[in-house]
Amino acid sequence: MSLPGSRILASPDLAPASLIEAFASVVTPHISDNLGRHIGARGLTRYNTTGKLVGTALTIKTRPGDNLYIYKALTLLEPGHVLVIDAQGDTNNAVIGELIKLYAQQRGCVGFVVDGAIRDVDSFASSPCYARAVVHCGPYKTGPGEINVPVSVGGMVVNPGDIIVGDEDGVVAFPQAVAQQVLAQARAHEAHEERVKAEIATGAIDQSWLDKVLEKAGLAN
């Protein structure tokens, strides 16, 4: 068995297409609010200007400034995968750019989440991509690295096979095993917010959703 630091493990099953399609219409705040309001990546920037990210995580952990194991991961991609790259937050060297993006998409990759730097930033305008920074300097290709191991991106732990959802507000990840529960609670949250919006639209000064919070805190009067 390979020791941690230089492992290449098999990819878990992709999330069912029906589940991926369902989350395409769910916003990340509704997911985050039902995951304790502290689960999710922070400190990453969304570099695409259009497009929603929903897919299954293929995880990579790289040495700072190196993308050898990202190259290997490209050969393992299946349609529906998201490349989730833990480059240890390093921003001195970009670990992916336009060429990797083009080849990954050709193999069915639906997006990129990088705790590190990217380059060729304009090429990601319509390709879901979250990263810590942009830098012109390219990567080294000597390794080591790991594939399909738990990683950390923006302080969020991502396991291989997790469902990744990203939009204008950020990126969240959660296990497939709880996806149906997350979906149901996010839908309920959406319905609640629609009711609040309808109440606000009445123009009434007194609002039940506002009063409820203030009363609980002892600030109603």
Side-chain angles (χ1 to χ4, degrees):
M1 178 181 293
S2 298
L3 292 175
S6 298
R7 296 174 295 176
I8 300 175
L9 306 180
S11 299
D13 291 339
L14 291 162
S18 59
L19 204 53
I20 296 299
E21 291 169 7
F23 276 104
S25 59
V26 178
V27 297
T28 57
H30 292 168
I31 297 172
S32 178
D33 281 358
N34 286 285
L35 294 177
R37 301 193 174 205
H38 67 94
I39 300 297
R42 294 173 174 82
L44 304 185
T45 297
R46 179 182 186 245
Y47 287 102
N48 55 298
T49 55
T50 61
K52 179 77 173 278
L53 173 58
V54 188
T56 305
L58 191 164
T59 63
I60 307 122
K61 186 174 181 65
T62 71
R63 168 175 89 79
D66 194 286
N67 75 351
L68 177 63
Y69 275 66
I70 297 173
Y71 268 51
K72 177 60 179 178
L74 293 176
T75 69
L76 306 177
L77 279 169
E78 297 178 47
H81 268 142
V82 178
L83 278 181
V84 180
I85 302 167
D86 177 358
Q88 303 190 46
D90 180 73
T91 58
N92 291 307
N93 297 82
V95 292
I96 66 170
E98 184 176 18
L99 299 183
I100 284 179
K101 185 208 81 149
L102 290 172
Y103 181 73
Q105 287 180 324
Q106 188 180 86
R107 292 185 61 91
C109 179
V110 296
F112 310 86
V113 180
V114 186
D115 199 335
I118 66 169
R119 66 177 182 177
D120 308 320
V121 64
D122 284 351
S123 69
F124 289 94
S126 59
S127 302
C129 179
Y130 299 79
R132 191 163 291 279
V134 174
V135 67
H136 53 83
C137 299
Y140 301 97
K141 294 176 171 60
T142 56
E146 297 186 278
I147 298 173
N148 283 322
V149 298
V151 298
S152 175
V153 288
M156 174 177 67
V157 175
V158 180
N159 289 288
D162 280 358
I163 293 178
I164 306 292
V165 181
D167 58 17
E168 296 87 346
D169 288 307
V171 184
V172 293
F174 46 88
Q176 292 187 41
V178 300
Q180 290 288 358
Q181 184 180 355
V182 171
L183 180 62
Q185 292 185 197
R187 293 292 192 211
H189 197 104
E190 179 185 24
H192 164 72
E193 289 201 353
E194 289 302 317
R195 290 191 295 270
V196 171
K197 289 178 186 178
E199 188 174 359
I200 292 171
T202 66
I205 300 298
D206 293 327
Q207 298 275 316
S208 63
W209 59 276
L210 183 59
D211 292 342
K212 181 179 179 181
V213 173
L214 295 177
E215 286 171 4
K216 184 177 181 180
L219 298 173
N221 297 315

